[in-house]
Amino acid sequence: MLRIAVLVSGGGTNLQAIIDSIASGDITDTQIVGVISNNKNAYALTRAKDADIPAFVVSPKDYDNRELFNRALLDTVDSLDADLIVLAGFLVVIPEIMIDAYENRIINIHPSLIPSFCGTGYYGLKVHEAALSRGVKVVGATVHFVDKGTDTGPIIMQKAVQVENGDTPSILQRRVMEQAEWIIMPKAIDKIAHGKVKVVDGIAIVED
Ligand code: GAR
């Protein structure tokens, strides 16, 4: 049984997709052992409680400095005894101490086809604003392992989505979620749960 901890900051639709995929059997041999938010008002916390999943808040506002917050975040993750940490819209830079402790055991969903529209400053709606400003016709989402760079870790899964005439950033964001994020995040977790993802020389190999 793969024990996953899901880290969230906002609405938690990707968390919901994972919860629903476990309930429907699209993800098997996997248990969400806890949800951690840096934001006490995140609706994702309500989703966790509704699904009877233990939920925790670790907010930078409650700590005197970043190092103390980073330590508290790592301690909370460690306390869950998780095999995999899933960043599902977690808008906090992951501390290096956590990346060292969980090498190739942290995955993230990013709302673009990496290496486009990623890195520092590209998160949430900003990614879709940038894609529309550039006029690209195909966008998408990426699930990747987290390393010490920003959105630079090994790519596990990607899915493309068409841009349509008249798209606004929020319309495009919703389509990328529906047609890509909520599909590839559960799929990637299921693959990992069944030992079908390995990293060789910095590249993720995913078996069918
Ligand atoms: C998602 O679109 C996710 O890809 C994005 O935040 C949103 C969270 O939505 N993550 C990033 O931009 C990370 N760089 P959710 O809370 O409804 O899952």
Side-chain angles (χ1 to χ4, degrees), residues 17-85:
I18 299 165
I19 293 170
D20 293 347
S21 298
I22 292 173
S24 68
D26 286 336
I27 299 177
T28 55
D29 299 319
T30 300
Q31 181 190 358
I32 304 177
V33 291
V35 168
I36 303 171
S37 175
N38 62 310
N39 166 14
K40 69 174 173 30
N41 297 317
Y43 185 67
L45 291 166
T46 304
R47 296 181 190 273
K49 282 175 195 147
D50 288 349
D52 287 325
I53 299 164
F56 307 84
V57 175
V58 184
S59 166
K61 292 181 186 151
D62 296 332
Y63 298 89
D64 285 341
N65 58 52
R66 203 69 189 181
E67 206 181 320
L68 291 173
F69 163 72
N70 288 346
R71 172 49 61 188
L73 185 63
L74 182 57
D75 287 348
T76 308
V77 169
D78 283 347
S79 74
L80 296 173
D81 193 21
D83 303 306
L84 182 73
I85 300 171

XYZ file of all heavy atoms in Angstrom, residues 17-85:
524
model
N -9.576 15.036 -7.175
C -9.407 14.041 -8.249
C -8.713 12.787 -7.717
O -9.052 11.665 -8.110
C -8.611 14.647 -9.407
N -7.767 12.978 -6.797
C -7.069 11.823 -6.219
C -8.027 11.043 -5.308
O -8.108 9.808 -5.388
C -5.813 12.284 -5.437
C -4.831 13.000 -6.358
C -5.133 11.086 -4.766
C -3.744 13.794 -5.624
N -8.758 11.764 -4.459
C -9.731 11.111 -3.561
C -10.731 10.296 -4.397
O -10.995 9.123 -4.109
C -10.478 12.168 -2.708
C -9.527 12.846 -1.718
C -11.671 11.538 -1.982
C -10.122 14.074 -1.009
N -11.269 10.928 -5.460
C -12.287 10.263 -6.289
C -11.696 9.056 -7.020
O -12.375 8.040 -7.191
C -12.875 11.250 -7.313
C -13.678 12.360 -6.645
O -13.990 12.246 -5.439
O -13.983 13.368 -7.332
N -10.447 9.177 -7.454
C -9.830 8.070 -8.198
C -9.543 6.886 -7.293
O -9.594 5.727 -7.737
C -8.529 8.536 -8.861
O -8.808 9.551 -9.789
N -9.248 7.146 -6.029
C -9.075 6.031 -5.082
C -10.441 5.377 -4.839
O -10.574 4.147 -4.870
C -8.426 6.521 -3.772
C -6.967 6.936 -4.032
C -8.496 5.430 -2.691
C -6.263 7.595 -2.850
N -11.481 6.214 -4.675
C -12.833 5.681 -4.417
C -13.338 4.852 -5.598
O -14.002 3.828 -5.406
C -13.786 6.828 -4.115
N -13.014 5.282 -6.814
C -13.537 4.582 -7.997
C -12.679 3.387 -8.411
O -13.070 2.618 -9.282
C -13.596 5.552 -9.189
O -12.279 5.905 -9.584
N -11.493 3.273 -7.807
C -10.616 2.168 -8.181
C -9.686 2.498 -9.344
O -8.963 1.630 -9.828
N -9.692 3.750 -9.802
C -8.729 4.135 -10.848
C -7.316 4.208 -10.284
O -6.334 4.050 -11.010
C -9.115 5.486 -11.460
C -10.322 5.359 -12.376
O -10.564 4.248 -12.880
O -11.035 6.356 -12.566
N -7.214 4.519 -8.985
C -5.933 4.384 -8.272
C -6.141 3.245 -7.285
O -7.111 3.253 -6.520
C -5.567 5.655 -7.478
C -5.409 6.876 -8.380
C -4.278 5.426 -6.680
C -5.124 8.187 -7.609
N -5.236 2.264 -7.314
C -5.352 1.159 -6.349
C -4.091 1.080 -5.485
O -3.063 1.698 -5.804
C -5.575 -0.190 -7.063
O -4.525 -0.375 -8.013
C -6.914 -0.231 -7.765
N -4.210 0.316 -4.403
C -3.082 0.089 -3.484
C -2.486 1.397 -2.968
O -1.263 1.503 -2.789
C -1.987 -0.757 -4.169
C -2.528 -2.118 -4.578
O -3.280 -2.716 -3.789
O -2.209 -2.557 -5.696
N -3.333 2.375 -2.736
C -2.876 3.709 -2.319
C -3.808 4.267 -1.249
O -5.028 4.117 -1.354
C -2.867 4.674 -3.534
O -1.977 4.149 -4.518
C -2.426 6.074 -3.140
N -3.201 4.896 -0.254
C -3.986 5.513 0.814
C -3.472 6.942 1.046
O -2.257 7.153 1.115
C -3.771 4.674 2.092
C -4.541 5.157 3.283
C -4.099 4.455 4.566
O -3.232 3.574 4.555
N -4.674 4.862 5.673
N -4.390 7.902 1.157
C -3.971 9.266 1.527
C -3.889 9.294 3.053
O -4.904 9.174 3.735
C -4.960 10.334 1.032
C -5.166 10.220 -0.487
C -4.449 11.735 1.392
C -6.205 11.206 -1.054
N -2.670 9.449 3.579
C -2.510 9.378 5.040
C -2.621 10.757 5.699
O -2.735 10.849 6.918
C -1.182 8.683 5.431
C -1.247 7.206 5.068
C 0.023 9.350 4.784
N -2.599 11.813 4.892
C -2.778 13.141 5.469
C -2.740 14.204 4.392
O -2.149 14.002 3.325
N -3.409 15.320 4.694
C -3.373 16.491 3.819
C -2.792 17.626 4.650
O -3.210 17.854 5.796
C -4.798 16.843 3.320
C -4.832 18.204 2.659
C -5.299 15.763 2.363
N -1.821 18.328 4.081
C -1.177 19.436 4.792
C -1.338 20.701 3.958
O -1.060 20.706 2.760
C 0.328 19.158 5.003
C 0.531 17.841 5.766
C 1.001 20.322 5.743
C 1.995 17.388 5.837
N -1.791 21.770 4.608
C -1.940 23.057 3.917
C -1.111 24.123 4.624
O -1.031 24.151 5.848
C -3.415 23.471 3.910
O -3.543 24.765 3.342
N -0.547 25.028 3.834
C 0.133 26.194 4.415
C -0.871 27.310 4.684
O -0.528 28.317 5.294
C 1.211 26.704 3.450
C 0.620 27.168 2.130
O -0.153 26.447 1.507
N 0.950 28.370 1.713
N -2.104 27.104 4.209
C -3.125 28.150 4.260
C -4.338 27.593 5.010
O -4.986 26.660 4.542
C -3.463 28.518 2.804
C -4.723 29.332 2.664
O -5.254 29.871 3.646
N -5.224 29.421 1.446
N -4.636 28.200 6.154
C -5.694 27.625 6.990
C -7.076 27.771 6.362
O -8.009 27.063 6.716
C -5.660 28.216 8.404
C -6.045 29.680 8.526
C -6.104 30.074 9.997
C -6.308 31.534 10.288
N -7.049 32.376 9.392
N -7.197 28.692 5.392
C -8.496 28.901 4.735
C -8.664 28.090 3.446
O -9.661 28.269 2.734
C -8.686 30.386 4.411
C -8.710 31.225 5.671
O -9.337 30.847 6.656
N -8.005 32.341 5.655
N -7.714 27.237 3.144
C -7.786 26.480 1.881
C -9.026 25.575 1.874
O -9.237 24.801 2.820
C -6.522 25.645 1.692
N -9.794 25.638 0.791
C -10.978 24.775 0.695
C -10.569 23.299 0.624
O -11.335 22.401 1.009
C -11.844 25.169 -0.517
C -13.121 24.386 -0.577
C -14.104 24.567 0.395
C -13.351 23.438 -1.582
C -15.274 23.824 0.375
C -14.522 22.701 -1.610
C -15.481 22.892 -0.636
O -16.632 22.149 -0.652
N -9.337 23.064 0.203
C -8.825 21.685 0.173
C -8.930 21.020 1.548
O -9.135 19.804 1.637
C -7.366 21.699 -0.303
N -8.817 21.791 2.616
C -8.912 21.220 3.971
C -10.320 20.666 4.222
O -10.485 19.623 4.865
C -8.555 22.274 5.022
C -7.081 22.689 5.046
C -6.900 23.966 5.881
C -6.196 21.568 5.588
N -11.323 21.367 3.714
C -12.712 20.890 3.832
C -12.888 19.591 3.047
O -13.532 18.645 3.509
C -13.681 21.972 3.299
O -13.421 23.171 4.021
C -15.127 21.573 3.462
N -12.288 19.553 1.857
C -12.369 18.319 1.054
C -11.753 17.146 1.822
O -12.275 16.028 1.788
C -11.638 18.497 -0.275
C -12.237 19.555 -1.188
C -11.421 19.588 -2.487
N -11.749 20.706 -3.343
C -12.721 20.723 -4.262
N -13.474 19.662 -4.430
N -12.918 21.787 -5.018
N -10.620 17.400 2.487
C -9.960 16.334 3.256
C -10.874 15.866 4.385
O -11.106 14.662 4.565
C -8.629 16.834 3.805
N -11.420 16.832 5.121
C -12.282 16.466 6.259
C -13.506 15.697 5.777
O -13.896 14.701 6.390
C -12.687 17.728 7.030
C -11.542 18.205 7.922
C -11.831 19.524 8.615
C -10.512 20.096 9.167
N -10.472 21.554 9.135
N -14.095 16.130 4.656
C -15.274 15.436 4.116
C -14.955 13.990 3.738
O -15.843 13.141 3.721
C -15.815 16.171 2.879
C -16.498 17.479 3.255
O -16.729 17.712 4.464
O -16.783 18.285 2.342
N -13.682 13.744 3.418
C -13.282 12.384 3.034
C -12.647 11.635 4.206
O -12.032 10.580 4.006
C -12.322 12.454 1.853
N -12.775 12.209 5.417
C -12.212 11.568 6.628
C -10.709 11.366 6.552
O -10.189 10.351 7.034
C -12.898 10.219 6.903
C -14.298 10.427 7.433
O -14.506 11.409 8.175
O -15.185 9.634 7.070
N -10.029 12.322 5.941
C -8.569 12.253 5.862
C -8.007 13.249 6.876
O -8.460 14.411 6.914
C -8.081 12.627 4.435
C -8.646 11.636 3.404
C -6.561 12.668 4.367
C -8.551 12.136 1.978
N -7.041 12.848 7.700
C -6.462 13.789 8.653
C -5.887 15.014 7.938
O -5.179 14.875 6.944
C -5.343 12.981 9.328
C -5.686 11.555 9.081
C -6.456 11.502 7.790
N -6.225 16.210 8.444
C -5.785 17.448 7.789
C -4.993 18.298 8.776
O -5.336 18.381 9.957
C -6.995 18.218 7.273
N -3.924 18.917 8.286
C -3.012 19.692 9.128
C -2.742 21.042 8.466
O -2.679 21.124 7.243
C -1.667 18.970 9.286
C -1.802 17.545 9.753
C -2.050 16.510 8.838
C -1.704 17.232 11.098
C -2.195 15.201 9.271
C -1.845 15.921 11.538
C -2.092 14.903 10.622
N -2.560 22.074 9.292
C -2.147 23.384 8.776
C -0.756 23.684 9.318
O -0.537 23.603 10.531
C -3.129 24.493 9.216
C -2.623 25.870 8.779
C -4.525 24.233 8.647
N 0.159 23.968 8.407
C 1.488 24.445 8.815
C 1.703 25.754 8.054
O 2.010 25.743 6.859
C 2.604 23.426 8.482
C 3.940 23.923 9.012
C 2.278 22.048 9.051
N 1.479 26.872 8.737
C 1.513 28.174 8.077
C 2.781 28.934 8.442
O 3.146 28.999 9.621
C 0.290 28.993 8.508
O 0.470 30.336 8.133
N 3.428 29.545 7.435
C 4.623 30.351 7.737
C 4.318 31.462 8.748
O 5.194 31.892 9.494
C 5.020 30.944 6.387
C 4.228 30.240 5.364
C 3.070 29.556 6.015
N 3.042 31.898 8.769
C 2.657 32.991 9.677
C 2.819 32.605 11.142
O 2.909 33.469 12.016
C 1.192 33.369 9.428
C 0.968 34.020 8.090
C -0.498 34.392 7.899
C -0.746 34.898 6.496
N -2.079 34.659 6.017
N 2.834 31.319 11.412
C 2.927 30.856 12.803
C 4.363 30.636 13.276
O 4.575 30.134 14.382
C 2.134 29.549 12.972
C 0.652 29.773 12.732
O 0.192 30.910 12.975
O -0.029 28.838 12.277
N 5.337 30.964 12.398
C 6.748 30.725 12.766
C 7.555 32.005 12.613
O 7.269 32.823 11.737
C 7.329 29.593 11.892
C 6.591 28.308 12.137
C 5.458 27.986 11.391
C 6.963 27.448 13.169
C 4.722 26.844 11.654
C 6.241 26.302 13.439
C 5.123 26.012 12.682
O 4.396 24.887 12.952
N 8.573 32.150 13.471
C 9.364 33.381 13.489
C 10.218 33.556 12.241
O 10.512 34.674 11.840
C 10.283 33.412 14.720
C 9.484 33.708 15.978
O 8.360 34.231 15.830
O 9.970 33.396 17.080
N 10.637 32.450 11.650
C 11.432 32.568 10.427
C 11.216 31.338 9.540
O 10.578 30.370 9.941
C 12.925 32.764 10.740
C 13.472 31.612 11.571
O 13.314 30.446 11.211
N 14.104 31.928 12.700
N 11.767 31.455 8.319
C 11.538 30.415 7.300
C 12.120 29.069 7.717
O 11.545 28.020 7.436
C 12.188 30.885 5.997
C 11.599 30.244 4.779
C 10.181 30.732 4.559
N 9.531 29.962 3.523
C 8.291 30.179 3.108
N 7.541 31.122 3.636
N 7.773 29.440 2.165
N 13.252 29.120 8.405
C 13.888 27.855 8.802
C 12.996 27.073 9.770
O 12.860 25.849 9.652
C 15.237 28.178 9.447
C 16.221 27.049 9.340
C 17.538 27.393 10.007
O 17.980 28.555 9.871
O 18.086 26.508 10.676
N 12.385 27.786 10.699
C 11.494 27.118 11.663
C 10.258 26.561 10.963
O 9.798 25.454 11.264
C 11.091 28.091 12.778
C 12.215 28.482 13.740
C 11.737 29.580 14.690
C 12.702 27.272 14.531
N 9.737 27.336 9.993
C 8.585 26.838 9.210
C 8.988 25.586 8.433
O 8.268 24.577 8.442
C 8.087 27.924 8.250
C 7.200 27.400 7.157
C 5.898 26.978 7.432
C 7.654 27.313 5.846
C 5.078 26.476 6.423
C 6.846 26.818 4.834
C 5.558 26.402 5.124
N 10.139 25.638 7.755
C 10.600 24.489 6.963
C 10.726 23.243 7.831
O 10.344 22.141 7.437
C 11.961 24.794 6.320
C 11.840 25.799 5.178
O 10.743 26.075 4.704
N 12.968 26.346 4.751
N 11.275 23.428 9.022
C 11.456 22.303 9.940
C 10.100 21.730 10.372
O 9.889 20.514 10.377
C 12.288 22.786 11.145
C 12.445 21.863 12.298
C 12.875 20.452 11.940
N 14.169 20.366 11.275
C 14.650 19.230 10.738
N 13.961 18.113 10.787
N 15.822 19.229 10.145
N 9.149 22.631 10.662
C 7.812 22.184 11.088
C 7.103 21.436 9.963
O 6.428 20.425 10.199
C 6.979 23.383 11.531
N 7.289 21.944 8.735
C 6.666 21.274 7.582
C 7.243 19.862 7.430
O 6.494 18.881 7.275
C 6.925 22.105 6.316
C 6.267 21.643 5.033
C 4.741 21.682 5.146
C 6.714 22.513 3.858
N 8.563 19.760 7.515
C 9.204 18.441 7.384
C 8.769 17.516 8.516
O 8.479 16.338 8.295
C 10.725 18.598 7.338
C 11.519 17.302 7.167
C 11.093 16.551 5.903
C 13.021 17.577 7.113
N 8.709 18.045 9.747
C 8.285 17.217 10.882
C 6.867 16.681 10.677
O 6.569 15.532 10.988
C 8.340 18.021 12.193
C 9.774 18.242 12.662
O 10.697 17.592 12.113
O 9.979 19.077 13.574
N 5.994 17.540 10.153
C 4.596 17.111 9.936
C 4.547 16.026 8.868
O 3.854 15.014 9.024
C 3.721 18.319 9.541
O 3.919 19.351 10.497
C 2.253 17.947 9.487
N 5.287 16.224 7.781
C 5.336 15.204 6.727
C 5.907 13.903 7.300
O 5.326 12.819 7.118
C 6.189 15.701 5.532
C 6.474 14.567 4.571
C 5.484 16.835 4.809
N 7.006 14.003 8.026
C 7.638 12.802 8.601
C 6.670 12.043 9.506
O 6.659 10.814 9.527
C 8.877 13.187 9.424
C 10.088 13.503 8.545
O 10.052 13.186 7.334
O 11.066 14.079 9.069
N 5.852 12.798 10.247
C 4.951 12.158 11.214
C 3.910 11.276 10.523
O 3.301 10.411 11.146
C 4.253 13.220 12.070
O 3.263 13.877 11.299
N 3.704 11.507 9.225
C 2.692 10.726 8.489
C 3.266 9.421 7.929
O 2.515 8.596 7.413
C 2.117 11.566 7.346
C 1.342 12.807 7.781
C 0.973 13.661 6.578
C 0.084 12.405 8.544
N 4.581 9.278 7.994
C 5.231 8.059 7.512
C 4.812 7.764 6.056
O 4.408 6.647 5.722
C 4.851 6.882 8.448
C 5.717 5.671 8.202
O 6.818 5.834 7.647
O 5.271 4.559 8.541
N 4.893 8.796 5.225
C 4.439 8.675 3.831
C 5.560 8.137 2.941
O 6.730 8.417 3.158
C 3.985 10.036 3.324
N 5.139 7.369 1.912
C 6.093 6.895 0.898
C 6.276 7.947 -0.187
O 7.318 8.010 -0.828
C 5.551 5.626 0.220
C 5.263 4.533 1.222
O 6.172 4.192 1.990
O 4.107 4.047 1.246
N 5.232 8.725 -0.410
C 5.241 9.700 -1.506
C 4.568 10.984 -1.050
O 3.512 10.945 -0.403
C 4.460 9.118 -2.704
C 4.406 9.973 -3.971
C 5.768 9.967 -4.682
C 3.325 9.462 -4.929
N 5.190 12.111 -1.387
C 4.582 13.417 -1.106
C 4.047 13.955 -2.427
O 4.788 14.026 -3.417
C 5.625 14.400 -0.529
C 6.203 13.835 0.770
C 5.014 15.768 -0.306
C 7.371 14.640 1.281
